[in-house]
């Protein structure tokens, strides 16, 4: 299992705590430091079963300044997340061929 984690995010910390309380120690990917590649994001989005735009944090300042109201292709949204990884919704737990966004944090328990 792997978790896309931001240690500064309360929801992300909560999700990780829930997992460790269940005895699960996922591989932690601090995606703000280890920015995912285009292929990695495509894979995660496919496992989530959503569109790239649905993985965008629309309340982020950078979204409002650069992307709000724009119509981008799936590939362009992925490139936006690579350029500005703060845009990636978090936390994301990946377990095999499944993934879930931990909003609320308890959602991560759905795929363990």
């Amino acid at each position: 299992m792997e978790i896309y984690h931001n240690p500064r995010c309360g929801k992300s910390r909560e999700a990780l705590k829930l997992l460790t309380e269940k005895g699960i120690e996922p591989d932690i990917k601090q995606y703000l430091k280890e920015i995912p590649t285009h292929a990695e994001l495509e894979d995660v989005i496919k496992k989530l079963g959503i569109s790239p735009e649905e993985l965008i944090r629309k309340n982020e300042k950078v979204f409002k300044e650069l992307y709000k109201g724009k119509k981008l292709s799936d590939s362009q949204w992925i490139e936006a997340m690579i350029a500005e990884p703060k845009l990636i919704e978090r936390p994301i737990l990946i377990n095999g061929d499944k993934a879930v966004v931990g909003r609320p944090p308890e959602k991560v328990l759905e795929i363990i």
Side-chain angles (χ1 to χ4, degrees), residues 73-86:
S73 69
D74 286 353
S75 184
Q76 288 171 320
W77 280 121
I78 291 171
E79 288 301 318
M81 287 185 266
I82 292 167
E84 298 288 347
K86 284 183 182 178

Side-chain angles (χ1 to χ4, degrees), residues 45 49 54 105 109 112:
I45 290 162
E54 290 174 278
L109 301 177
I112 60 170

Side-chain angles (χ1 to χ4, degrees), residues 11 16 22 28 45 71 81 84 101 104 108 110:
K11 301 289 184 198
L16 188 55
K22 296 278 186 191
I28 297 171
I45 290 162
K71 299 290 181 206
M81 287 185 266
E84 298 288 347
V101 174
V108 297
E110 293 175 3

